Amino acid sequence: MSFQALLLTQVDGQTHAAIARLDDDQLPQDGDVLVAIDASTINYKDGLAITGRSPVVRKWPMVAGIDGAGTVVSSSHPRWKAGDKVILNGYGVGETHWGCLAQRARLKGDWLVALPDAFTTKQAMGIGTAGYTAMLSVLALERAGVRPDDGEVLVTGASGGVGTVAIAVLGKLGYRVVASTGKADEADFLKALGAAEVMDRAALSAPGKPLQKERWAAVVDAVGSHTLVNACAQVRYGGAVTACGLAQGMDFPASVAPFILRGVTLYGIDSVMAPMARREEAWRRLAEDLAPDRLAAITKEIGLGEAIEAGRRIVEGGMRGRVVVDVNR
């Protein structure tokens, strides 16, 4: 059967992205579940892959898309049967294994999570890896003992995919959230999601002192570099910080002072190879703690043909919230 896909190729070191028509016979043969994809999404990593701005893709050619949701067509995996609704996040899909910005994908059954009854496939992709990562961050803060009455929680990169979902979830759980963004015109939108206050990211993005005035009970950071360093320097004694992104940079020009003088803990959040039990917990909690109206408020839908431009926009910081890609239009 033929299908459409966003295919990435490389010529003379340059990445080329195009919508191509492929055939089932071309799909990876190491997968044991064939899925008819209903929807995918555009994450920051997808944008890097589509534009070639970072060496995300490790095998060529590559079908892009680190996320997908759809219906099982056929399966030799004992857990899945035809008709099951499933979600795929990460596991190197879209990097070393053909991804889900396509109408069909052959995947490994061990990678798949059952679609929660609370979500449609498009709603699940409204969450995607960015939202699932935000939930992993919230779970890490909870395991660290951070509670709503402990004080303010800072969310950086607030208008992005991780940031918007983190704000919506934390706000619903009763935390006082402060949103850091470079987009002043998004303040009302972020407050409607659940932020109590919005601050200019410029207050965090430049080099700062190793220890600064204590403010935050916890931080969810999707930015990295000086922003993450300054956030750590402002965390209150015994507080916790989660790090899951690098929009400002991969560097961490920091001092150990917050960690050894204030007992601050920095948690790295990996969504790609997270254990299945943690994935399932995250999706269960998203079904409970992400209000449908807030998910709808952060979601925009596009067709597969618009995904290349969306990939370019997300790496340029020109996108708000989450983008669902209907691969069948």
Side-chain angles (χ1 to χ4, degrees):
M1 180 175 175
S2 66
F3 61 93
Q4 287 199 115
L6 199 170
L7 186 68
L8 305 178
T9 56
Q10 191 174 61
V11 179
D12 297 328
Q14 298 296 311
T15 298
H16 298 268
I19 305 301
R21 183 155 290 279
L22 305 173
D23 189 88
D24 279 1
D25 291 341
Q26 296 174 267
L27 289 168
Q29 298 303 305
D30 58 345
D32 49 12
V33 181
L34 179 63
V35 181
I37 302 297
D38 296 329
S40 184
T41 183
I42 301 293
N43 297 287
Y44 191 76
K45 183 181 283 186
D46 294 309
L48 293 175
I50 289 167
T51 60
R53 295 194 186 185
S54 182
V56 170
V57 177
R58 307 301 171 86
K59 291 183 179 180
W60 304 92
M62 177 59 58
V63 172
I66 67 172
D67 285 332
T71 305
V72 174
V73 175
S74 61
S75 170
S76 59
H77 190 282
R79 189 178 176 193
W80 307 108
K81 64 182 185 305
D84 287 343
K85 299 287 187 179
V86 295
I87 302 169
L88 180 285
N89 303 113
Y91 283 112
V93 171
E95 301 175 61
T96 60
H97 185 101
W98 277 18
C100 298
L101 278 166
Q103 294 172 311
R104 312 267 279 187
R106 185 174 287 124
L107 305 165
K108 294 186 179 182
D110 288 344
W111 296 344
L112 302 175
V113 174
L115 178 74
D117 291 340
F119 297 130
T120 65
T121 49
K122 286 186 178 180
Q123 286 175 320
M125 289 299 94
I127 296 168
T129 283
Y132 145 67
T133 301
M135 192 72 240
L136 290 176
S137 299
V138 173
L139 292 172
L141 296 184
E142 290 181 345
R143 288 194 299 272
V146 180
R147 299 293 178 260
D149 59 0
D150 289 340
E152 296 176 309
V153 177
L154 172 69
V155 175
T156 68
S159 63
V162 173
T164 49
V165 175
I167 290 166
V169 170
L170 289 166
K172 185 174 184 293
L173 292 172
Y175 291 87
R176 189 179 194 280
V177 181
V178 177
S180 168
T181 181
K183 302 173 182 177
D185 58 347
E186 300 286 17
D188 290 343
F189 165 70
L190 295 172
K191 288 179 179 178
L193 283 183
E197 182 182 334
V198 177
M199 63 180 289
D200 191 330
R201 70 181 179 195
L204 296 166
S205 60
K209 296 179 179 178
L211 282 177
Q212 300 171 32
K213 183 178 180 180
E214 295 179 57
R215 179 171 180 181
W216 318 114
V219 177
V220 174
D221 177 68
V223 176
S225 192
H226 292 292
T227 296
L228 176 57
V229 172
N230 287 318
C232 290
Q234 295 174 13
V235 172
R236 291 161 53 178
Y237 190 92
V241 180
T242 64
C244 66
L246 42 73
Q248 187 179 7
M250 288 186 66
D251 59 326
F252 186 55
S255 161
V256 297
F259 311 112
I260 62 174
L261 297 179
R262 291 183 179 165
V264 172
T265 302
L266 177 60
Y267 293 91
I269 304 298
D270 168 58
S271 62
V272 177
M273 301 304 293
M276 182 55 66
R278 191 160 291 177
R279 291 169 181 266
E280 291 175 336
E281 180 186 13
W283 279 102
R284 177 182 62 78
R285 286 290 302 277
L286 283 161
E288 295 175 2
D289 297 326
L290 181 57
D293 60 332
R294 293 188 180 182
L295 175 58
I298 65 176
T299 304
K300 173 187 176 182
E301 185 178 312
I302 63 173
L304 184 61
E306 301 169 86
I308 295 172
E309 177 58 27
R312 295 186 179 120
R313 285 183 58 218
I314 198 170
V315 296
E316 293 168 357
M319 192 173 291
R320 169 216 268 188
R322 303 286 299 126
V323 171
V324 175
V325 181
D326 182 342
V327 299
N328 295 305
R329 73 171 178 89

